[in-house]
Amino acid sequence: MPRCLIIEDEPLARDILESYLQEFPDFELIAACTRAEEARAILQSESIDLIFLDINLPDLSGLNFYKSLVHKPKLIFTTAYAEFAVEGFELEALDYLLKPFSFDRFKKALEKFETPSISTADFIMLKADKRMHKVNFESICYFEAKGDFVKVALVEGKNLIVADSLKKLEQILPSNFIRCHKSYIISLSKLQYLEGNQLRINELMIPIGPAYRDKLQASLKSG
C-alpha cells in the first residue's frame, strides 16, 4: 500500500486533499504537514512513497525542499502558481495540480502513480552534464549508485553520472535490467558469468546481495 505525505500550509487545501485521498483506500495517509521542516522529520523516520507538495510554504519553497531530499518519493505538486509548472515537471513530478482542482482531476493525478511506467521504447533519456542524453538500452552495461548520483556504465567504456536513484530507475527500466545489489542494476544481456556471490560484466566483478539473489536467479531461468 503506497504511503502518502501531504505538505500544505493552507487549512482548506489540506482538508480537501485529505478528503479526496480518503476515497482511495489503497493509499495510506501517514501525515499532513504545514511546514517543510516538519515534513523532513517525518521523511527521516517514515517510509513515504508519494508526496503531495505545495510550492508556497512558509519556511521553504516546495521546489527547494524537494530538491534537497536525498531519497525522493514520487511527487504531485498542488499549487496556485502555474508559472512553476515547467520547473515542477523537470523534477519529474507525476502531476501538477493547479488550485482549485476537482476530485476528477485529483483522481487522474493519482492514477499516474498506479500506472506502471515501464518503458516500451528501446532507449532512455538521462540527464548528465546539464544535457539530456538519449541512451540506447543495448548500450548500457550496468548502473551503480554513487551517493546522490548514479554511474551509468556504457559498452563504449564511457560513463554518465546522473542525478537520480536506483530505486527510480528500477521502476522505469525494461525487464532485462535486474537489481542484483543495493548499489547495482545490471543488464542481463551483458552478464558473462556468475561465480560465488559475484557476477562478471566486462572487466568488473559485481557483488550479488543476499536480498537480490533469488530474483536474479529467477530472471536468469525465465530468460
Side-chain angles (χ1 to χ4, degrees):
M1 177 183 293
R3 295 160 58 87
C4 305
L5 177 64
I6 293 172
I7 311 173
E8 171 61 72
D9 66 318
E10 297 178 22
L12 179 59
R14 192 167 58 253
D15 289 345
I16 289 173
L17 281 168
E18 290 187 45
S19 66
Y20 283 176
L21 197 57
Q22 287 176 356
E23 299 298 317
F24 299 88
D26 290 339
F27 287 79
E28 180 183 6
L29 177 61
I30 301 303
C33 306
T34 60
R35 304 175 69 87
E37 291 310 311
E38 179 188 358
R40 193 186 303 278
I42 291 172
L43 287 165
Q44 290 172 349
S45 61
E46 298 281 353
S47 174
I48 301 296
D49 302 300
L50 175 62
I51 295 177
F52 297 92
L53 180 61
D54 187 14
I55 287 180
N56 188 23
L57 296 171
D59 51 344
L60 180 67
S61 83
L63 291 167
N64 289 334
F65 169 72
Y66 190 74
K67 289 176 183 178
S68 73
L69 297 179
V70 175
H71 302 291
K72 293 178 170 59
K74 291 186 178 181
L75 171 67
I76 294 176
F77 278 113
T78 61
T79 180
Y81 299 94
E83 61 266 29
F84 294 110
V86 172
E87 188 172 359
F89 283 116
E90 286 179 349
L91 292 175
E92 299 184 2
L94 295 178
D95 212 333
Y96 193 96
L97 295 176
L98 194 61
K99 300 174 185 176
F101 48 85
S102 66
F103 175 79
D104 286 343
R105 182 66 183 86
F106 176 86
K107 181 174 182 288
K108 289 179 180 178
L110 207 58
E111 287 171 349
K112 294 181 180 180
F113 181 94
E114 297 177 285
T115 303
S117 54
I118 300 299
S119 174
T120 57
D122 59 0
F123 65 91
I124 187 172
M125 299 300 296
L126 296 171
K127 188 173 183 179
D129 305 320
K130 299 181 180 180
R131 299 175 181 175
M132 292 300 296
H133 297 260
K134 178 183 176 182
V135 182
N136 291 328
F137 289 126
E138 272 302 307
S139 298
I140 300 172
C141 296
Y142 61 86
F143 299 85
E144 180 183 1
K146 294 283 189 180
D148 295 341
F149 298 87
V150 172
K151 181 178 82 172
V152 186
L154 305 177
V155 292
E156 305 94 312
K158 298 179 181 179
N159 297 324
L160 292 176
I161 304 298
V162 301
D164 219 324
S165 70
L166 289 186
K167 182 178 179 180
K168 186 185 295 183
L169 288 167
E170 192 175 14
Q171 294 171 344
I172 63 175
L173 290 168
S175 59
N176 63 311
F177 285 87
I178 187 76
R179 188 84 169 258
C180 68
H181 186 272
K182 66 180 181 179
S183 299
Y184 289 93
I185 295 175
I186 66 161
S187 169
L188 291 177
S189 67
K190 303 301 184 295
L191 172 63
Q192 294 169 277
Y193 59 80
L194 303 178
E195 183 177 339
N197 293 322
Q198 295 180 305
L199 57 86
R200 184 176 178 120
I201 293 181
N202 292 343
E203 301 301 316
L204 182 68
M205 296 301 293
I206 294 175
I208 302 171
Y212 303 94
R213 173 174 288 278
D214 289 347
K215 185 177 180 181
L216 173 62
Q217 290 179 339
S219 297
L220 292 173
K221 289 177 182 177
S222 63

